Amino acid sequence: MINGIISFFNIYQEMNKDVILIVGSNGQLGTVLTQKLRLIYGVYNVIASDLYEKTGFEDNFITLDATDFKAIEEIVLKKKVTQIYHLAAILSAKGEQNPLGTWDLNMKTLFNVLEVSRLHNVNKVFFPSSVAVFGNNIDKENTLQSSNLTPSTVYGISKAAGENWGNYYFEKYGLDVRSLRYPGVVGYQSLPGGGTTDYAVDIYHKAVNNEVFDCFLEASTTLPMIYMDDAIRATIELMEADKEKITVRTSYNLSGMSFNPEQIASSIKEHYPNLKIAYKPDFRQAIADSWPKCINDTAARNDWNWKPQFDLEQMTKVMIENLK
Ligand code: AKB
């Protein structure tokens, strides 16, 4: 009798649980998203994958090169994957060192994920886009959802194209692709790599280690940013929203806060008054200058009730508490 109840429970659980594959789980967002999704769906149902295994993250991990279609297909079939979060990409600053290689990698991995999902009935796909899809010809103070997309980097071009491919797969094949245009993400749990907004994470590490911070942007360069908890919550809220509520099938503008290097430094100086900054703008200045300062995310707020919770002061407090 008890065995019968247990096996009924197991079958019930099997039938109702999504199996999620995270492609690019070692990255800044992937590291934290994997942990959060595992709290909701369980470790067994959230498969982490990346090019190499990271110490401390070996549970339910598969080594995966996402440029290899067959390798993704094999995991999806073997593990009966129902959702894919495709996080692997080369970011804005690093991408400019190798434009064609960046285009190849960002697009090939996306096509592989979309095609495998279409062929093998994956229910939902998440594709991260970015404020990098915008370029110089927009209103930078209140960048609307419908603003022109004229990106200044190959990363931005690949994200703008990716958004349109997501929309195409939805319109043509009914594949439920969902996407957010992330601002710069700031968190203590993981390090970004190769982005233009990375300075806003690095500055906290330098402050708590009492080191001078060399800032590659000018003091007055305002950019849209978001605290990690808000970024993760937005991602999960979008993915769990009812399908009929999703009216934007390219990618939703997403806003958290906006600040410049001088403002983040002042908020850190409340805790570390001796923080020293040397401003040494490099090629990343031109990238930052082409991006919005402040994002209008009315569509996300209206469609699935998005609301950020962290401002600069609160973010600085949590960052310092966790890093020091
Ligand atoms: C970058 O700086 O490239 C990323 C982004 C804003 O997409 N953090």
Side-chain angles (χ1 to χ4, degrees), residues 192-209:
T196 304
T197 57
D198 295 8
Y199 91 87
V201 178
D202 202 19
I203 190 170
Y204 287 104
H205 287 265
K206 292 289 185 305
V208 300
N209 292 316

Side-chain angles (χ1 to χ4, degrees), residues 63-81:
T63 307
L64 174 69
D65 174 357
T67 62
D68 181 348
F69 178 89
K70 287 266 163 237
I72 304 180
E73 188 176 46
E74 200 182 308
I75 298 173
V76 166
L77 290 175
K78 196 164 153 203
K79 302 280 183 180
K80 299 187 172 59
V81 169

Side-chain angles (χ1 to χ4, degrees), residues 160-275:
E163 291 183 2
N164 282 301
W165 276 105
N167 186 53
Y168 178 88
Y169 268 73
F170 173 71
E171 293 291 342
K172 182 134 183 147
Y173 305 117
L175 182 63
D176 191 352
V177 186
R178 304 182 183 197
S179 175
L180 294 172
R181 290 175 179 154
Y182 290 109
V185 178
V186 181
Y188 61 85
Q189 303 94 327
S190 51
L191 288 171
T196 304
T197 57
D198 295 8
Y199 91 87
V201 178
D202 202 19
I203 190 170
Y204 287 104
H205 287 265
K206 292 289 185 305
V208 300
N209 292 316
N210 295 312
E211 288 172 30
V212 176
F213 177 57
D214 286 339
C215 186
F216 57 74
L217 297 181
E218 281 162 7
S220 61
T221 313
T222 301
L223 287 172
M225 300 279 185
I226 192 166
Y227 180 56
M228 180 65 84
D229 282 18
D230 275 343
I232 298 292
R233 190 168 51 78
T235 311
I236 295 173
E237 282 177 10
L238 171 68
M239 287 298 273
E240 294 195 340
D242 290 343
K243 201 170 172 182
E244 55 278 9
K245 293 204 169 139
I246 312 294
T247 64
V248 177
R249 283 293 175 174
T250 48
S251 187
Y252 278 98
N253 274 12
L254 183 74
S255 171
M257 62 187 95
S258 285
F259 56 78
N260 63 36
E262 194 169 20
Q263 289 164 327
I264 192 175
S266 320
S267 86
I268 296 173
K269 279 183 186 166
E270 296 287 322
H271 307 259
Y272 289 89
N274 295 329
L275 172 68

Side-chain angles (χ1 to χ4, degrees), residues 130-141:
S130 160
V131 296
V133 294
F134 299 112
N136 275 314
N137 55 349
I138 45 149
D139 172 4
K140 294 201 159 95
E141 299 293 342

